[in-house]
């Protein structure tokens, strides 16, 4: 039986966030260079974006490059940046055709100009699409994002625009780079690592976590559908009791 057909269409997460991990180990297993794994990982991205359109996931956030990843060997960082430019340029027509709207979160100004240019172009081409919102986290770290939000709020308090009593969860949500998106209901991490690695610390407060040993280049549509089926079996309680939820 096709896994996709088992999915309950009335309980699809609106927003799924993914830590795409394991490209390097996947390449090593093939006796190849780490970069080869990153290239192969693009095929998984293509499939998962497509799958979101097929089942009606409206927001997909992909952790593509963390602030900490800048500390990797220079060759790998350069190759990742080149891959980003090439992929965006190559995939934009396909994304556009599928009704995907591209967004970015993270310190985009720290990316090479060629990347920024390619991203801006793709964002502008896809700006009117509504089928799937694809959010790429690039040079992203959640502590960086939260710190910036706190600074913006402090400036407003200092200038008297707002009072300390106006600082609440809604204002924090507004100051984050994710202000236009709902919080993810589901966070997936591939490659067997059970950690969050500075990803969406605020926004994942009540997300369901799904971990799989599958390495990112092997993670394809059926693996994604399996994660959604697992999510659909969870009881999301938000601090209430099971009895309260069932009633
Ligand atoms: C994820 O795969 C991609 C990025 C972090 C850019 P890795 O490159 O972290 O692969 P592993 O974890 O070393 O196998
Ligand atoms: C997290 O993966 C970042 C991305 C997937 C872009 P890492 O491979 O960098 O995470 P750690 O260092 O193992 O926690
Ligand atoms: Mg990794």
């Amino acid at each position: 039986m096709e896994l996709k057909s088992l999915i309950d269409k009335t309980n699809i997460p609106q927003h799924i966030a993914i830590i795409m991990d394991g490209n390097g180990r996947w390449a090593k297993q093939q006796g190849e260079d780490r970069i080869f794994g990153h290239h192969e990982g693009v095929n998984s991205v293509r499939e998962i974006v497509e799958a979101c359109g097929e089942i009606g996931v409206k927001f997909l956030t992909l952790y593509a490059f963390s602030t900490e990843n800048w500390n990797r060997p220079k060759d790998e960082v350069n190759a990742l940046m080149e891959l980003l430019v090439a992929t965006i340029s190559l995939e934009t027509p396909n994304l556009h055709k599928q009704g995907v709207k591209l967004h970015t979160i993270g310190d985009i100004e720290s990316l090479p100009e060629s990347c920024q240019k390619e991203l801006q172009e793709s964002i502008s081409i896809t700006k009117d699409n509504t089928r799937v919102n694809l959010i790429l986290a690039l040079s992203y770290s959640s502590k960086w994002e939260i710190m910036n939000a706190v600074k913006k709020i402090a400036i407003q308090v200092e200038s008297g625009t707002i009072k300390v009593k106006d600082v609440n969860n809604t204002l924090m949500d507004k100051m984050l780079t994710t202000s236009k998106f709902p919080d993810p209901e589901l966070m997936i991490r591939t490659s067997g690592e059970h950690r969050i690695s500075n990803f969406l610390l605020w926004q994942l407060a009540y997300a369901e976590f799904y971990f799989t040993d599958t390495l990112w280049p092997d993670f394809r549509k059926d693996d994604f559908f399996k994660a959604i089926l697992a999510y659909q079996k969870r009881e999301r309680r938000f601090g209430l009791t099971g009895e309260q939820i069932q009633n």
Side-chain angles (χ1 to χ4, degrees):
M1 182 136 185
E2 225 197 355
L3 278 176
K4 190 167 89 172
S5 64
L6 299 174
I7 293 175
D8 173 3
K9 293 284 176 337
T10 67
N11 184 23
I12 302 282
Q14 260 200 105
H15 186 172
I16 299 180
I18 307 183
I19 302 180
M20 310 183 286
D21 199 12
N23 294 351
R25 279 164 284 167
W26 184 89
K28 281 270 155 67
Q29 285 177 2
Q30 324 281 314
E32 297 279 353
D33 192 72
R34 293 179 55 83
I35 313 296
F36 182 67
H38 297 313
H39 279 264
E40 192 57 29
V42 174
N43 295 325
S44 300
V45 171
R46 196 181 302 113
E47 277 209 14
I48 302 314
V49 172
E50 239 178 66
C52 284
E54 285 172 20
I55 60 168
V57 174
K58 282 283 166 200
F59 299 87
L60 174 70
T61 297
L62 299 178
Y63 203 4
F65 194 84
S66 74
T67 308
E68 290 77 15
N69 289 150
W70 287 115
N71 299 321
R72 290 193 176 190
K74 216 167 174 263
D75 283 356
E76 182 169 344
V77 172
N78 290 341
L80 278 166
M81 293 302 145
E82 279 167 25
L83 179 63
L84 177 66
V85 176
T87 303
I88 296 292
S89 149
L90 199 72
E91 297 291 332
T92 295
N94 186 30
L95 292 173
H96 190 42
K97 209 163 72 195
Q98 289 182 66
V100 176
K101 177 173 179 169
L102 184 72
H103 309 259
T104 56
I105 55 172
D107 186 10
I108 301 305
E109 282 169 22
S110 70
L111 298 174
E113 290 235 346
S114 54
C115 290
Q116 294 187 45
K117 201 173 142 262
E118 207 57 60
L119 287 164
Q120 274 157 12
E121 232 173 85
S122 179
I123 287 170
S124 130
I125 290 170
T126 60
K127 71 178 184 345
D128 296 323
N129 294 338
T130 57
R131 188 151 166 264
V132 178
N133 290 278
L134 172 61
I135 303 142
L136 293 183
L138 290 165
S139 190
Y140 175 87
S141 110
S142 190
K143 284 196 176 184
W144 164 86
E145 177 184 41
I146 292 172
M147 192 88 79
N148 276 341
V150 170
K151 279 185 193 163
K152 279 192 263 174
I153 292 174
I155 289 169
Q156 292 195 4
V157 171
E158 201 173 49
S159 68
T161 318
I162 58 166
K163 301 231 158 40
V164 170
K165 70 168 171 50
D166 301 323
V167 181
N168 54 26
N169 286 345
T170 313
L171 184 66
M172 269 302 284
D173 284 337
K174 233 164 63 189
M175 293 300 177
L176 295 171
T177 58
T178 49
S179 61
K180 288 182 288 183
F181 320 121
D183 284 347
E185 295 97 328
L186 173 62
M187 193 286 283
I188 300 171
R189 183 170 190 153
T190 58
S191 89
E193 307 301 347
H194 295 179
R195 55 176 172 267
I196 198 164
S197 302
N198 217 343
F199 187 45
L200 302 175
L201 302 177
W202 174 276
Q203 298 88 339
L204 294 176
Y206 257 110
E208 295 296 327
F209 285 14
Y210 179 87
F211 297 103
T212 170
D213 288 341
T214 304
L215 303 173
W216 178 251
D218 287 330
F219 190 85
R220 297 302 168 96
K221 276 187 192 173
D222 270 349
D223 304 280
F224 184 64
F225 296 146
K226 228 185 266 176
I228 293 174
L229 286 166
Y231 164 85
Q232 293 188 330
K233 290 207 181 76
R234 310 265 180 100
E235 182 178 66
R236 306 189 71 207
R237 285 198 284 274
F238 302 99
L240 304 184
T241 66
E243 288 75 15
Q244 281 177 298
I245 297 294
Q246 277 135 40
N247 292 330

